[in-house]
Amino acid sequence: MAVPEKSTSNNAQVSSTGYKQELKRSLTFWDLLIYGLVFMVPIAPFGIYGSVAQGSNGMVALAYLIGMVGMIFTALSYARMSEAFPIAGSVYSYAQRGINESVGFIAGWLILLDYIFVPALLYLVSAAALHDIVPEIPLLVWLVIFIGINTVVNVVGIEFTAKANKIIVVLELIVLAVFVVTGIVAIVQGVNGAEFTFKPLYDADNFSMSVVMGAVSIAVLSFLGFDAISTLAEESKGGSKAVGRAIIFSLLVVGLLFIIQTWVAALIWPDYTTFENADVAFYQIAEIAGGTWLKWTTILATALAWGIADALVAQAAISRILYSMARDRKLPKFLSKIHPKFKTPYASTLVVAVISLIVTAFFSSKINSLASVVNFGALSAFLFLHASVVIYFIKKQKSKDYVRHLVLPLIGFAVIGYVWINLDPLSKKLGFIWLAIGIVYLILLKVFKKDTSLDLEE
């Protein structure tokens, strides 16, 4: 059977970076796009709507709009680096080859903090939600079910994962469409005093840039996940630009969905100061709009979207990061093992499953602490990403495209830096502890394994 010309070109690009093409190339642009949508979860605002609404003085749609615009700059930096280095390591590989090996390791170490713990966080939140609905089933049982299903799917192959993603994203979009349509009908009927207004997007009487940006620091975390598309670069058959396009388009699509659903919710419950419990505010709004059936539908959809869909793609992403770092001998070599039949990094996938089970057991009553760790890792890695674009293209490649390779990444760095500064103290404390461990590990790696350096082209 003849090898498609584009696949041959992709494999040649991987070979040019010093690696062998081991993972199976089977993902189209649409597979990558759907992967990003599933990771970000089209219905993500369901779970944090109350906090964002209160934090933005009711301008929740504006918070998500600003968040989307801000993250676009990070998406553009991912697009630039994924074109230059179409390999599986994401920000680890980009910083490694864009700056140097040591910085690459630190960037990879920080993104591990995000990707390793995010599946555990998703499993824990979803299991807790279902345990509340069916208390007869222990929390541990839900965790084992979620972790078991996702591990099997990811080991069987990325094609299987892609097919599961399509089913999942369709179901999420159906639930979202039902809520939006039901909500619009409720607004037209004036349920709960609802009426159409632009206040969720801009309310002159309550607008304050500092207040809105504080809410953006919460809302922007709903967008985390678009970057994981870059971890599938060695499994994409759409060319070096397919990953970048998928990253940007997935961010725009999910951002639009976030704005629509939060705007509708804000109109149904105009007074954001009267939420009985901000953590479940969206479900109360769903009940007002459509009744008890819609409330439970949105609750179950949120639990399953995070516990199965989001965690599924998160596990796939982190297994690729571990695989990439292990083949560079920066992590134990066995993590780079590829399944002989399915062509997936099965050893890394199984390790992530075990870690998730351990972490969920430890953080079962400390969900906020776990979320803080995830946020620090992701945003810190994004800062390294933007720096990599500038250093690689402007300094090393002597690029004269100052808009794409200097101005845009600097804006992205400033936006992410602002959000990073506004992270809570616990997030920074736990994050710096993780960073210190990584620095010590890197020093030991250099002392005892001096043969781990790679021949990286300038």
Side-chain angles (χ1 to χ4, degrees), residues 271-296:
D271 191 354
Y272 58 88
T273 65
T274 59
F275 293 142
E276 297 173 14
N277 181 352
D279 293 338
V280 294
F282 194 95
Y283 311 125
Q284 293 176 336
I285 294 172
E287 185 173 23
I288 290 174
T292 304
W293 68 271
L294 187 56
K295 170 188 174 181
W296 289 110

PDB file of all heavy atoms in Angstrom, residues 271-296:
ATOM      1  N   ASP A 271     -30.371  39.058  38.743  1.00  0.00           N
ATOM      2  CA  ASP A 271     -29.736  39.524  39.978  1.00  0.00           C
ATOM      3  C   ASP A 271     -28.737  38.485  40.485  1.00  0.00           C
ATOM      4  O   ASP A 271     -29.095  37.566  41.224  1.00  0.00           O
ATOM      5  CB  ASP A 271     -30.793  39.811  41.046  1.00  0.00           C
ATOM      6  CG  ASP A 271     -30.203  40.539  42.246  1.00  0.00           C
ATOM      7  OD1 ASP A 271     -28.961  40.704  42.292  1.00  0.00           O
ATOM      8  OD2 ASP A 271     -30.976  40.928  43.135  1.00  0.00           O
ATOM      9  N   TYR A 272     -27.483  38.657  40.080  1.00  0.00           N
ATOM     10  CA  TYR A 272     -26.417  37.705  40.448  1.00  0.00           C
ATOM     11  C   TYR A 272     -26.090  37.722  41.944  1.00  0.00           C
ATOM     12  O   TYR A 272     -25.371  36.848  42.430  1.00  0.00           O
ATOM     13  CB  TYR A 272     -25.153  38.029  39.647  1.00  0.00           C
ATOM     14  CG  TYR A 272     -24.664  39.444  39.857  1.00  0.00           C
ATOM     15  CD1 TYR A 272     -23.788  39.767  40.883  1.00  0.00           C
ATOM     16  CD2 TYR A 272     -25.115  40.477  39.033  1.00  0.00           C
ATOM     17  CE1 TYR A 272     -23.361  41.071  41.086  1.00  0.00           C
ATOM     18  CE2 TYR A 272     -24.695  41.779  39.228  1.00  0.00           C
ATOM     19  CZ  TYR A 272     -23.807  42.066  40.252  1.00  0.00           C
ATOM     20  OH  TYR A 272     -23.394  43.360  40.459  1.00  0.00           O
ATOM     21  N   THR A 273     -26.617  38.699  42.676  1.00  0.00           N
ATOM     22  CA  THR A 273     -26.318  38.788  44.113  1.00  0.00           C
ATOM     23  C   THR A 273     -27.228  37.898  44.944  1.00  0.00           C
ATOM     24  O   THR A 273     -27.038  37.784  46.156  1.00  0.00           O
ATOM     25  CB  THR A 273     -26.459  40.240  44.607  1.00  0.00           C
ATOM     26  OG1 THR A 273     -27.834  40.652  44.479  1.00  0.00           O
ATOM     27  CG2 THR A 273     -25.573  41.173  43.796  1.00  0.00           C
ATOM     28  N   THR A 274     -28.211  37.266  44.308  1.00  0.00           N
ATOM     29  CA  THR A 274     -29.204  36.500  45.077  1.00  0.00           C
ATOM     30  C   THR A 274     -29.063  34.987  44.925  1.00  0.00           C
ATOM     31  O   THR A 274     -29.970  34.242  45.284  1.00  0.00           O
ATOM     32  CB  THR A 274     -30.633  36.908  44.653  1.00  0.00           C
ATOM     33  OG1 THR A 274     -30.805  36.656  43.242  1.00  0.00           O
ATOM     34  CG2 THR A 274     -30.868  38.379  44.928  1.00  0.00           C
ATOM     35  N   PHE A 275     -27.923  34.523  44.395  1.00  0.00           N
ATOM     36  CA  PHE A 275     -27.731  33.075  44.281  1.00  0.00           C
ATOM     37  C   PHE A 275     -27.722  32.452  45.676  1.00  0.00           C
ATOM     38  O   PHE A 275     -27.027  32.938  46.569  1.00  0.00           O
ATOM     39  CB  PHE A 275     -26.402  32.741  43.593  1.00  0.00           C
ATOM     40  CG  PHE A 275     -26.334  33.140  42.145  1.00  0.00           C
ATOM     41  CD1 PHE A 275     -25.164  33.648  41.607  1.00  0.00           C
ATOM     42  CD2 PHE A 275     -27.439  32.995  41.318  1.00  0.00           C
ATOM     43  CE1 PHE A 275     -25.091  34.003  40.275  1.00  0.00           C
ATOM     44  CE2 PHE A 275     -27.377  33.361  39.980  1.00  0.00           C
ATOM     45  CZ  PHE A 275     -26.199  33.866  39.458  1.00  0.00           C
ATOM     46  N   GLU A 276     -28.478  31.382  45.849  1.00  0.00           N
ATOM     47  CA  GLU A 276     -28.474  30.674  47.134  1.00  0.00           C
ATOM     48  C   GLU A 276     -27.128  29.998  47.366  1.00  0.00           C
ATOM     49  O   GLU A 276     -26.618  29.950  48.485  1.00  0.00           O
ATOM     50  CB  GLU A 276     -29.595  29.623  47.145  1.00  0.00           C
ATOM     51  CG  GLU A 276     -30.986  30.225  47.032  1.00  0.00           C
ATOM     52  CD  GLU A 276     -32.054  29.158  46.881  1.00  0.00           C
ATOM     53  OE1 GLU A 276     -31.755  27.970  47.130  1.00  0.00           O
ATOM     54  OE2 GLU A 276     -33.182  29.502  46.508  1.00  0.00           O
ATOM     55  N   ASN A 277     -26.565  29.454  46.289  1.00  0.00           N
ATOM     56  CA  ASN A 277     -25.259  28.803  46.349  1.00  0.00           C
ATOM     57  C   ASN A 277     -24.614  28.982  44.978  1.00  0.00           C
ATOM     58  O   ASN A 277     -25.057  28.411  43.998  1.00  0.00           O
ATOM     59  CB  ASN A 277     -25.407  27.316  46.687  1.00  0.00           C
ATOM     60  CG  ASN A 277     -24.062  26.605  46.782  1.00  0.00           C
ATOM     61  OD1 ASN A 277     -23.023  27.174  46.460  1.00  0.00           O
ATOM     62  ND2 ASN A 277     -24.079  25.354  47.218  1.00  0.00           N
ATOM     63  N   ALA A 278     -23.544  29.793  44.917  1.00  0.00           N
ATOM     64  CA  ALA A 278     -22.914  30.106  43.632  1.00  0.00           C
ATOM     65  C   ALA A 278     -22.397  28.855  42.926  1.00  0.00           C
ATOM     66  O   ALA A 278     -22.336  28.812  41.694  1.00  0.00           O
ATOM     67  CB  ALA A 278     -21.757  31.089  43.847  1.00  0.00           C
ATOM     68  N   ASP A 279     -22.021  27.827  43.690  1.00  0.00           N
ATOM     69  CA  ASP A 279     -21.462  26.607  43.099  1.00  0.00           C
ATOM     70  C   ASP A 279     -22.476  25.855  42.238  1.00  0.00           C
ATOM     71  O   ASP A 279     -22.096  25.109  41.334  1.00  0.00           O
ATOM     72  CB  ASP A 279     -20.933  25.661  44.186  1.00  0.00           C
ATOM     73  CG  ASP A 279     -19.722  26.246  44.901  1.00  0.00           C
ATOM     74  OD1 ASP A 279     -19.061  27.122  44.312  1.00  0.00           O
ATOM     75  OD2 ASP A 279     -19.436  25.827  46.039  1.00  0.00           O
ATOM     76  N   VAL A 280     -23.758  26.030  42.524  1.00  0.00           N
ATOM     77  CA  VAL A 280     -24.792  25.304  41.761  1.00  0.00           C
ATOM     78  C   VAL A 280     -25.766  26.283  41.104  1.00  0.00           C
ATOM     79  O   VAL A 280     -26.882  25.919  40.762  1.00  0.00           O
ATOM     80  CB  VAL A 280     -25.566  24.324  42.675  1.00  0.00           C
ATOM     81  CG1 VAL A 280     -24.643  23.226  43.173  1.00  0.00           C
ATOM     82  CG2 VAL A 280     -26.213  25.058  43.849  1.00  0.00           C
ATOM     83  N   ALA A 281     -25.333  27.526  40.928  1.00  0.00           N
ATOM     84  CA  ALA A 281     -26.209  28.571  40.387  1.00  0.00           C
ATOM     85  C   ALA A 281     -26.754  28.213  39.013  1.00  0.00           C
ATOM     86  O   ALA A 281     -27.932  28.427  38.720  1.00  0.00           O
ATOM     87  CB  ALA A 281     -25.444  29.893  40.314  1.00  0.00           C
ATOM     88  N   PHE A 282     -25.910  27.647  38.156  1.00  0.00           N
ATOM     89  CA  PHE A 282     -26.357  27.351  36.795  1.00  0.00           C
ATOM     90  C   PHE A 282     -27.484  26.325  36.801  1.00  0.00           C
ATOM     91  O   PHE A 282     -28.436  26.438  36.024  1.00  0.00           O
ATOM     92  CB  PHE A 282     -25.201  26.830  35.941  1.00  0.00           C
ATOM     93  CG  PHE A 282     -25.500  26.830  34.469  1.00  0.00           C
ATOM     94  CD1 PHE A 282     -25.128  27.891  33.670  1.00  0.00           C
ATOM     95  CD2 PHE A 282     -26.189  25.772  33.876  1.00  0.00           C
ATOM     96  CE1 PHE A 282     -25.422  27.911  32.315  1.00  0.00           C
ATOM     97  CE2 PHE A 282     -26.483  25.781  32.523  1.00  0.00           C
ATOM     98  CZ  PHE A 282     -26.102  26.857  31.739  1.00  0.00           C
ATOM     99  N   TYR A 283     -27.391  25.344  37.681  1.00  0.00           N
ATOM    100  CA  TYR A 283     -28.414  24.299  37.732  1.00  0.00           C
ATOM    101  C   TYR A 283     -29.740  24.849  38.242  1.00  0.00           C
ATOM    102  O   TYR A 283     -30.816  24.403  37.827  1.00  0.00           O
ATOM    103  CB  TYR A 283     -27.927  23.132  38.599  1.00  0.00           C
ATOM    104  CG  TYR A 283     -26.529  22.683  38.222  1.00  0.00           C
ATOM    105  CD1 TYR A 283     -25.513  22.627  39.162  1.00  0.00           C
ATOM    106  CD2 TYR A 283     -26.233  22.353  36.898  1.00  0.00           C
ATOM    107  CE1 TYR A 283     -24.230  22.230  38.806  1.00  0.00           C
ATOM    108  CE2 TYR A 283     -24.943  21.955  36.535  1.00  0.00           C
ATOM    109  CZ  TYR A 283     -23.954  21.909  37.487  1.00  0.00           C
ATOM    110  OH  TYR A 283     -22.690  21.525  37.125  1.00  0.00           O
ATOM    111  N   GLN A 284     -29.668  25.842  39.128  1.00  0.00           N
ATOM    112  CA  GLN A 284     -30.890  26.509  39.593  1.00  0.00           C
ATOM    113  C   GLN A 284     -31.529  27.282  38.449  1.00  0.00           C
ATOM    114  O   GLN A 284     -32.759  27.303  38.299  1.00  0.00           O
ATOM    115  CB  GLN A 284     -30.550  27.460  40.752  1.00  0.00           C
ATOM    116  CG  GLN A 284     -30.083  26.748  42.014  1.00  0.00           C
ATOM    117  CD  GLN A 284     -29.671  27.718  43.106  1.00  0.00           C
ATOM    118  OE1 GLN A 284     -29.318  28.863  42.836  1.00  0.00           O
ATOM    119  NE2 GLN A 284     -29.704  27.251  44.343  1.00  0.00           N
ATOM    120  N   ILE A 285     -30.687  27.909  37.630  1.00  0.00           N
ATOM    121  CA  ILE A 285     -31.186  28.646  36.473  1.00  0.00           C
ATOM    122  C   ILE A 285     -31.835  27.690  35.477  1.00  0.00           C
ATOM    123  O   ILE A 285     -32.900  27.983  34.912  1.00  0.00           O
ATOM    124  CB  ILE A 285     -30.033  29.422  35.797  1.00  0.00           C
ATOM    125  CG1 ILE A 285     -29.526  30.519  36.727  1.00  0.00           C
ATOM    126  CG2 ILE A 285     -30.491  30.015  34.456  1.00  0.00           C
ATOM    127  CD1 ILE A 285     -28.273  31.214  36.260  1.00  0.00           C
ATOM    128  N   ALA A 286     -31.214  26.534  35.264  1.00  0.00           N
ATOM    129  CA  ALA A 286     -31.774  25.530  34.351  1.00  0.00           C
ATOM    130  C   ALA A 286     -33.138  25.061  34.841  1.00  0.00           C
ATOM    131  O   ALA A 286     -34.065  24.856  34.047  1.00  0.00           O
ATOM    132  CB  ALA A 286     -30.822  24.340  34.239  1.00  0.00           C
ATOM    133  N   GLU A 287     -33.281  24.928  36.161  1.00  0.00           N
ATOM    134  CA  GLU A 287     -34.559  24.493  36.727  1.00  0.00           C
ATOM    135  C   GLU A 287     -35.632  25.547  36.503  1.00  0.00           C
ATOM    136  O   GLU A 287     -36.783  25.227  36.190  1.00  0.00           O
ATOM    137  CB  GLU A 287     -34.401  24.200  38.221  1.00  0.00           C
ATOM    138  CG  GLU A 287     -35.650  23.630  38.855  1.00  0.00           C
ATOM    139  CD  GLU A 287     -35.415  23.186  40.287  1.00  0.00           C
ATOM    140  OE1 GLU A 287     -34.465  23.685  40.935  1.00  0.00           O
ATOM    141  OE2 GLU A 287     -36.184  22.330  40.777  1.00  0.00           O
ATOM    142  N   ILE A 288     -35.276  26.819  36.649  1.00  0.00           N
ATOM    143  CA  ILE A 288     -36.229  27.903  36.412  1.00  0.00           C
ATOM    144  C   ILE A 288     -36.661  27.926  34.946  1.00  0.00           C
ATOM    145  O   ILE A 288     -37.838  28.107  34.628  1.00  0.00           O
ATOM    146  CB  ILE A 288     -35.606  29.263  36.795  1.00  0.00           C
ATOM    147  CG1 ILE A 288     -35.442  29.356  38.310  1.00  0.00           C
ATOM    148  CG2 ILE A 288     -36.468  30.419  36.291  1.00  0.00           C
ATOM    149  CD1 ILE A 288     -34.702  30.606  38.767  1.00  0.00           C
ATOM    150  N   ALA A 289     -35.701  27.691  34.053  1.00  0.00           N
ATOM    151  CA  ALA A 289     -35.984  27.771  32.623  1.00  0.00           C
ATOM    152  C   ALA A 289     -36.821  26.602  32.123  1.00  0.00           C
ATOM    153  O   ALA A 289     -37.751  26.785  31.332  1.00  0.00           O
ATOM    154  CB  ALA A 289     -34.679  27.844  31.836  1.00  0.00           C
ATOM    155  N   GLY A 290     -36.497  25.386  32.577  1.00  0.00           N
ATOM    156  CA  GLY A 290     -37.164  24.216  32.009  1.00  0.00           C
ATOM    157  C   GLY A 290     -37.761  23.241  32.984  1.00  0.00           C
ATOM    158  O   GLY A 290     -38.419  22.276  32.577  1.00  0.00           O
ATOM    159  N   GLY A 291     -37.481  23.432  34.258  1.00  0.00           N
ATOM    160  CA  GLY A 291     -38.013  22.494  35.242  1.00  0.00           C
ATOM    161  C   GLY A 291     -36.953  21.550  35.777  1.00  0.00           C
ATOM    162  O   GLY A 291     -35.774  21.611  35.397  1.00  0.00           O
ATOM    163  N   THR A 292     -37.381  20.633  36.645  1.00  0.00           N
ATOM    164  CA  THR A 292     -36.455  19.712  37.306  1.00  0.00           C
ATOM    165  C   THR A 292     -35.693  18.844  36.313  1.00  0.00           C
ATOM    166  O   THR A 292     -34.508  18.556  36.509  1.00  0.00           O
ATOM    167  CB  THR A 292     -37.220  18.808  38.288  1.00  0.00           C
ATOM    168  OG1 THR A 292     -37.938  19.623  39.220  1.00  0.00           O
ATOM    169  CG2 THR A 292     -36.257  17.913  39.043  1.00  0.00           C
ATOM    170  N   TRP A 293     -36.342  18.433  35.234  1.00  0.00           N
ATOM    171  CA  TRP A 293     -35.685  17.568  34.258  1.00  0.00           C
ATOM    172  C   TRP A 293     -34.463  18.230  33.638  1.00  0.00           C
ATOM    173  O   TRP A 293     -33.419  17.590  33.423  1.00  0.00           O
ATOM    174  CB  TRP A 293     -36.661  17.156  33.144  1.00  0.00           C
ATOM    175  CG  TRP A 293     -37.072  18.299  32.247  1.00  0.00           C
ATOM    176  CD1 TRP A 293     -38.116  19.146  32.418  1.00  0.00           C
ATOM    177  CD2 TRP A 293     -36.408  18.710  31.046  1.00  0.00           C
ATOM    178  NE1 TRP A 293     -38.163  20.077  31.404  1.00  0.00           N
ATOM    179  CE2 TRP A 293     -37.128  19.832  30.547  1.00  0.00           C
ATOM    180  CE3 TRP A 293     -35.299  18.250  30.345  1.00  0.00           C
ATOM    181  CZ2 TRP A 293     -36.764  20.493  29.381  1.00  0.00           C
ATOM    182  CZ3 TRP A 293     -34.926  18.921  29.182  1.00  0.00           C
ATOM    183  CH2 TRP A 293     -35.651  20.013  28.706  1.00  0.00           C
ATOM    184  N   LEU A 294     -34.546  19.539  33.388  1.00  0.00           N
ATOM    185  CA  LEU A 294     -33.423  20.248  32.785  1.00  0.00           C
ATOM    186  C   LEU A 294     -32.308  20.446  33.819  1.00  0.00           C
ATOM    187  O   LEU A 294     -31.122  20.379  33.477  1.00  0.00           O
ATOM    188  CB  LEU A 294     -33.876  21.600  32.238  1.00  0.00           C
ATOM    189  CG  LEU A 294     -32.817  22.382  31.436  1.00  0.00           C
ATOM    190  CD1 LEU A 294     -32.293  21.546  30.277  1.00  0.00           C
ATOM    191  CD2 LEU A 294     -33.390  23.706  30.924  1.00  0.00           C
ATOM    192  N   LYS A 295     -32.696  20.647  35.063  1.00  0.00           N
ATOM    193  CA  LYS A 295     -31.702  20.776  36.130  1.00  0.00           C
ATOM    194  C   LYS A 295     -30.855  19.512  36.208  1.00  0.00           C
ATOM    195  O   LYS A 295     -29.609  19.571  36.196  1.00  0.00           O
ATOM    196  CB  LYS A 295     -32.403  21.033  37.469  1.00  0.00           C
ATOM    197  CG  LYS A 295     -31.470  20.940  38.679  1.00  0.00           C
ATOM    198  CD  LYS A 295     -32.266  21.014  39.980  1.00  0.00           C
ATOM    199  CE  LYS A 295     -31.358  20.767  41.179  1.00  0.00           C
ATOM    200  NZ  LYS A 295     -32.128  20.803  42.453  1.00  0.00           N
ATOM    201  N   TRP A 296     -31.497  18.350  36.280  1.00  0.00           N
ATOM    202  CA  TRP A 296     -30.760  17.094  36.418  1.00  0.00           C
ATOM    203  C   TRP A 296     -30.023  16.737  35.139  1.00  0.00           C
ATOM    204  O   TRP A 296     -28.956  16.113  35.176  1.00  0.00           O
ATOM    205  CB  TRP A 296     -31.695  15.965  36.838  1.00  0.00           C
ATOM    206  CG  TRP A 296     -32.145  16.105  38.261  1.00  0.00           C
ATOM    207  CD1 TRP A 296     -33.387  16.415  38.721  1.00  0.00           C
ATOM    208  CD2 TRP A 296     -31.313  15.982  39.430  1.00  0.00           C
ATOM    209  NE1 TRP A 296     -33.397  16.489  40.094  1.00  0.00           N
ATOM    210  CE2 TRP A 296     -32.133  16.234  40.557  1.00  0.00           C
ATOM    211  CE3 TRP A 296     -29.961  15.712  39.623  1.00  0.00           C
ATOM    212  CZ2 TRP A 296     -31.639  16.195  41.848  1.00  0.00           C
ATOM    213  CZ3 TRP A 296     -29.468  15.676  40.917  1.00  0.00           C
ATOM    214  CH2 TRP A 296     -30.301  15.909  42.011  1.00  0.00           C
TER     215      TRP A 296
END
